[in-house]
Amino acid sequence: MGNDSSRLHLPFRHGQRPGKASSSSSSLHKPLTADHFAGIALLTLRSAEMKFKDKWLACVSFGEQTFRTQISDQTDKPVWNSEKKLLLEKDGPHVARISVFETNTVSSNTLVGYCEINLLEYLTQGEVLDLLNPSSSDLIVGKIYISCSVEDPVETEKSFARRILSIVDYNQDGMLSLSEFSDLINAFGNRLAAEKKEELFKAADKNGDGVVSMDELATLLASQQEKEPLITCCPVCGEVLEVSDKLNNMIHLTLCFDEGTGNQVMEGGFLTDTQASYGWMFKLSEWVHYSSYDVGLNSGSSASHIVVLDRRSKTLVEETIDSKIVLSMRAIYQSKIGIGLMDKGAKEFLLSISEKQGKKMNTTESAKDIPKFGQINLAEAKYPVEHFKTFNEFFVRELKPGVRPIACKERDDVAICGADSRLMAFTTVDDSKRFWIKGRKFSMKGLLGPEISSNEFDHGSLVIFRLAPQDYHRFHSPVSGTIEKFIDIPGALYTVNPIAVNSKYCNVFTENKRVVSIISTAEFGKVAFIAIGATMVGSITFSKKAGDHVKKGDEFGYFSFGGSTVICVFEKDSITIDEDLLANSARPLETLVCVGMKLGVAKNSSNVELPNLETFAIN
């Protein structure tokens, strides 16, 4: 019998699925070095207590992967008993987000509550966590019962032989007979080793008692690793392994291995909890390619789901756009015909409807739309919802003091993120055009307008902050300095959605209405701060005036209703932008940031080592 056939006859315990493990967990981890491997967490979602009856499912988002449980029965006390192993990296994500959805429709489900846990801090077999309302984190909507244990690298290595042995230890006596040992060697996929199984068995059986113990198996695996590694493919999922990479093979096999708890293994292969929660109608549309999920290149221009990376939790987050709006935007911004219509009067139409919508949002009648407006964390707002008399008052709401701490507040050589937004950062304008801004006529001179010399900025660094309608819409100064001037530039009100920004047929940033301000700083030289209007955003209000001194983190202004964008341009060689922001942008993948998070450091800064402040601005 060939090796593949032998491997298929291995006994898989409850929850294991041959061929499935590699797509959901182990094969997705990037190769690690010993310096970066922090351990493996086993997270189990046991049950929950909700405030009403429904059919429930739970999702776990960790890094760039999301997993989901099965759907429970109709109940207010769902039971899942579902588990997942998660790989921990020393510089990688440590926070897992657990989301609970009610499955009330065939196409999409409703997020009811969530919680977050730091896996490196959890070493417990049982815990009860509050589920928080996604619209107001100070409201509790239920409880979830979990268990979590973390195995450090030393424990993982010690347990490796035990796990390998138990795969074929049919009678579970902790020993391998020759027959069991032969099945294991076959499962390793090593044809040369399979031809000398009896020889290997005798070499492993040091005490000559006719069986191979766990310690004897560990010794054999270690000795063979140095001369002729035995394991060439995973005996659980069948994936081919790099024989010389002992550490990552051990990680792979540990992630694949079923610990025999009897729990269901969560289903994987999802990018976000929203995607994982969709019902069968969405799966059908995926199958016939009506919509697509992607990360990186083309995720903005061709997909109806914008996926961004949350900098704080290092998990992927989804912005879903109504499919009819997506089709409309593609028809307008991704074709010559659509842009031709813009030139024949559609621009004026967008300006007109934006103006009318702005007036409507300033009426007292508009206040009734506030409760319907998206999932916003109202616990952060300075005033309760009842305080706002119009929708626009709510839209430009202030936040409570302290909810957006400023990174290295006393160090003016550290620049910060100026808006709650999805960020793209590039060391040069050419990089921004290669990865993100596809408009053929985009230039620094076109962005800044004729009244400002672009010479200082032509080869400078560019940071784009895209604000979605649900975001906090006040923007703040990223640096400390003196405001030299404000220049109003009239223009269109195209959408700032990536579908338009990634289009080669229009130039959103150089054609839209915008206000350019120049901030003179001691640490970064001159910094251009450009507030750009968009569809439904005709009003840009500034809190400062020319001649004012601003401290980084000071409020600079706000946008009225709609989505909008702020762009910061730094002079050449004046800033070292944080590496994670540049790496994400090169994929290209937007990074979800908050006001006050660290953006970068002045290149002429002293060589004082800074703490890791990427996540500093979140409570």
Side-chain angles (χ1 to χ4, degrees), residues 324-566:
K324 295 186 290 295
I325 295 176
V326 171
L327 290 173
S328 299
M329 285 196 290
R330 285 183 187 160
I332 294 172
Y333 296 105
Q334 294 281 331
S335 70
K336 289 183 179 179
I337 295 175
I339 295 302
L341 291 174
M342 283 287 184
D343 292 335
K344 294 184 182 298
K347 288 181 184 178
E348 289 72 19
F349 175 71
L350 286 177
L351 288 169
S352 174
I353 63 171
S354 293
E355 183 179 344
K356 289 178 181 177
Q357 189 70 8
K359 289 180 179 178
K360 177 183 175 182
M361 292 303 173
N362 281 325
T363 64
T364 54
E365 185 182 357
S366 66
K368 69 178 186 299
D369 293 326
I370 294 175
K372 309 172 189 175
F373 189 66
Q375 292 183 341
I376 295 171
N377 188 358
L378 296 175
E380 294 183 336
K382 185 175 181 179
Y383 302 107
V385 171
E386 298 76 23
H387 170 84
F388 304 106
K389 305 306 179 188
T390 70
F391 187 89
N392 252 340
E393 283 186 11
F394 168 73
F395 191 79
V396 299
R397 63 196 174 278
E398 297 176 77
L399 299 183
K400 293 175 181 175
V403 299
R404 294 291 185 271
I406 306 303
C408 295
K409 190 171 184 178
E410 302 307 317
R411 290 193 57 168
D412 288 342
D413 59 343
V414 177
I416 62 164
C417 296
D420 282 15
S421 58
R422 294 117 194 87
L423 176 148
M424 296 292 282
F426 306 98
T427 54
T428 68
V429 174
D430 287 342
D431 283 347
S432 72
K433 293 168 72 173
R434 184 164 68 253
F435 292 120
W436 193 244
I437 305 171
K438 302 303 182 185
R440 293 174 180 173
K441 297 180 181 178
F442 178 81
S443 67
M444 191 55 59
K445 186 172 182 61
L447 176 66
L448 299 177
E451 295 187 38
I452 296 177
S453 171
S454 63
N455 294 339
E456 300 98 328
F457 301 108
D458 274 339
H459 302 288
S461 299
L462 188 79
V463 184
I464 303 168
F465 302 93
R466 178 176 67 86
L467 288 74
Q470 68 269 25
D471 289 326
Y472 165 62
H473 259 66
R474 292 178 181 258
F475 46 86
H476 295 245
S477 179
V479 294
S480 298
T482 301
I483 303 171
E484 289 188 0
K485 63 180 79 173
F486 288 95
I487 304 293
D488 280 284
I489 302 176
L493 288 177
Y494 293 138
T495 178
V496 293
N497 185 281
I499 289 176
V501 175
N502 294 167
S503 171
K504 62 183 179 181
Y505 298 113
C506 65
N507 300 279
V508 172
F509 297 144
T510 58
E511 293 186 41
N512 271 22
K513 172 182 177 179
R514 57 200 182 280
V515 179
V516 180
S517 55
I518 301 296
I519 305 173
S520 180
T521 77
E523 294 75 22
F524 300 95
K526 291 185 178 181
V527 177
F529 187 97
I530 304 104
I532 301 175
T535 305
M536 301 300 173
V537 182
S539 176
I540 306 171
T541 304
F542 285 89
S543 310
K544 303 293 182 181
K545 62 183 184 300
D548 284 352
H549 179 80
V550 289
K551 183 75 175 171
K552 72 174 186 183
D554 285 354
E555 182 185 308
F556 206 67
Y558 56 85
F559 294 103
S560 294
F561 176 68
S564 39
T565 288
V566 169

Side-chain angles (χ1 to χ4, degrees), residues 121-325:
E121 296 176 357
Y122 268 77
L123 293 168
T124 176
Q125 290 303 310
E127 187 79 18
V128 184
L129 302 175
D130 290 333
L131 290 171
L132 307 178
N133 186 321
S135 297
S136 186
S137 60
D138 57 352
L139 297 178
I140 297 173
V141 296
K143 296 183 181 298
I144 189 166
Y145 295 79
I146 72 165
S147 65
C148 182
S149 59
V150 177
E151 187 177 83
D152 66 26
V154 174
E155 292 172 312
T156 300
E157 187 168 8
K158 286 181 178 178
S159 300
F160 181 60
R162 171 184 61 79
R163 290 181 168 118
I164 293 294
L165 181 144
S166 66
I167 291 173
V168 292
D169 183 16
Y170 305 133
N171 59 7
Q172 298 184 15
D173 63 355
M175 303 287 183
L176 295 184
S177 65
L178 175 58
S179 173
E180 291 171 330
F181 183 85
S182 296
D183 281 350
L184 183 62
I185 296 299
N186 286 337
F188 286 163
N190 188 325
R191 294 184 181 276
L192 293 177
E195 293 173 358
K196 49 182 181 179
K197 288 177 286 191
E198 292 188 12
E199 179 184 337
L200 289 169
F201 183 81
K202 289 179 181 178
D205 183 15
K206 296 292 186 182
N207 60 8
D209 62 357
V211 291
V212 173
S213 68
M214 183 178 70
D215 288 341
E216 288 173 333
L217 178 62
T219 301
L220 176 69
L221 292 174
S223 63
Q224 288 293 129
Q225 181 68 28
E226 302 301 322
K227 48 186 179 181
E228 185 184 329
L230 293 178
I231 306 175
T232 59
C233 73
C234 176
V236 179
C237 71
E239 181 170 321
V240 176
L241 303 175
E242 176 58 55
V243 294
S244 62
D245 194 346
K246 178 183 176 182
L247 172 64
N248 286 288
N249 289 348
M250 178 182 70
I251 292 172
H252 177 107
L253 290 164
T254 302
L255 291 173
C256 272
F257 181 78
D258 178 10
E259 301 294 343
T261 61
N263 294 325
Q264 286 281 343
V265 176
M266 293 184 211
E267 182 182 358
F270 305 103
L271 293 178
T272 68
D273 57 1
T274 306
Q275 182 198 10
S277 72
Y278 277 123
W280 65 268
M281 283 291 287
F282 175 81
K283 290 180 171 58
L284 179 64
S285 73
E286 287 280 276
W287 181 67
V288 295
H289 306 295
Y290 286 152
S291 56
S292 62
Y293 263 87
D294 200 1
V295 173
L297 193 61
N298 295 326
S299 62
S301 61
S302 65
S304 57
H305 317 273
I306 300 176
V307 178
V308 301
L309 184 70
D310 186 328
R311 194 184 196 191
R312 179 183 61 85
S313 65
K314 299 182 181 176
T315 57
L316 293 172
V317 180
E318 177 185 342
E319 292 179 49
T320 305
I321 315 170
D322 184 272
S323 58
K324 295 186 290 295
I325 295 176

